[in-house]
Each structure stands twice: as structure tokens, then as C-alpha cells.
Amino acid sequence: GRGEKGESEEVGYLSHSAEVMSSQMAEGENEEYATLISDMISAVLTYNEISVREGFDCFDLDQDGLISLEDVQAAAKELQMDVEPSEVQAWHAYTSGGGKHVTVEQWDRVMSVADGDQVLK
């Protein structure tokens, strides 16, 4: 009958909303980690008297004009940042908008709101 069709659509809708909610929650978590990592990066740049733009070049290890996840992980290690790989991954995913690379524009946008001073206190 017609009732069966309606029920299966409702179930499909509910599981879709649950997926959306869990991806939004993950996004919120990513944002928290991303802010934390951005603040740490900002602190490292400030401490080493490196500008935001020079910082991009420091993190773009292969100098291709894009920051890959590998670039960030290697730079974080080199700069002795005390961060978990999963946090770095969250930062990269958030900053790149889920892409493979962080562009200069994305870097500038995230770093312009980072607060390194609170990390250095």
C-alpha cells in the first residue's frame, strides 16, 4: 500500500539528517582544532619574527605554492609544535575546505584571525 512507501522515505530522510548532523559535529570539532593549530602556528611565526606570508613559504616545503597535508605535518615537526597528527589533519581539512591543498588565500584568511599571543603567554 501507500503507507509502506511513505515509511521508507521517512527512514531515508532520518538517516540522511543523522549523517548531516554528524558531519556538522565533525566540522565543529575540526574548527576547534583548526583554531587551536592556527593560534599555535601564529605563535611560532610571531616568536620567530616571521610574517604570515613568509610563514606560508615555511609551511609550503616543496615550494609548489600550495600547502599539502604532508607539508604541514613536516613543518609542525620541524618547528617542534606539540600537536597530534589528527589535529594537524583537522586543521588542514578545515583550512583547505576539505581540499587536498591550502592556498595562499586560505592561509591568509585563517591566519588573519589567529591569536598567537594567547599561546605565548
Side-chain angles (χ1 to χ4, degrees), residues 34-59:
T35 303
L36 179 78
I37 303 290
S38 296
D39 290 350
M40 287 179 82
I41 292 171
S42 177
V44 166
L45 299 182
T46 303
Y47 182 79
N48 291 294
E49 295 177 6
I50 298 168
S51 73
V52 169
R53 187 46 56 91
E54 290 168 336
F56 181 87
D57 294 334
C58 292
F59 276 75

Side-chain angles (χ1 to χ4, degrees), residues 7-78:
E7 279 171 29
S8 67
E9 278 174 17
E10 200 172 298
V11 170
Y13 174 75
L14 287 173
S15 67
H16 176 72
S17 335
E19 274 172 41
V20 170
M21 274 175 62
S22 68
S23 78
Q24 282 171 343
M25 278 164 52
E27 227 166 75
E29 238 170 67
N30 274 1
E31 193 174 345
E32 248 174 69
Y33 285 131
T35 303
L36 179 78
I37 303 290
S38 296
D39 290 350
M40 287 179 82
I41 292 171
S42 177
V44 166
L45 299 182
T46 303
Y47 182 79
N48 291 294
E49 295 177 6
I50 298 168
S51 73
V52 169
R53 187 46 56 91
E54 290 168 336
F56 181 87
D57 294 334
C58 292
F59 276 75
D60 176 18
L61 296 183
D62 54 11
Q63 300 299 301
D64 63 353
L66 298 164
I67 299 177
S68 67
L69 179 57
E70 291 73 25
D71 285 341
V72 188
Q73 286 173 331
K77 198 173 284 181
E78 201 172 295

Side-chain angles (χ1 to χ4, degrees), residues 1-8:
R2 283 183 49 185
E4 287 169 25
K5 186 179 175 210
E7 279 171 29
S8 67

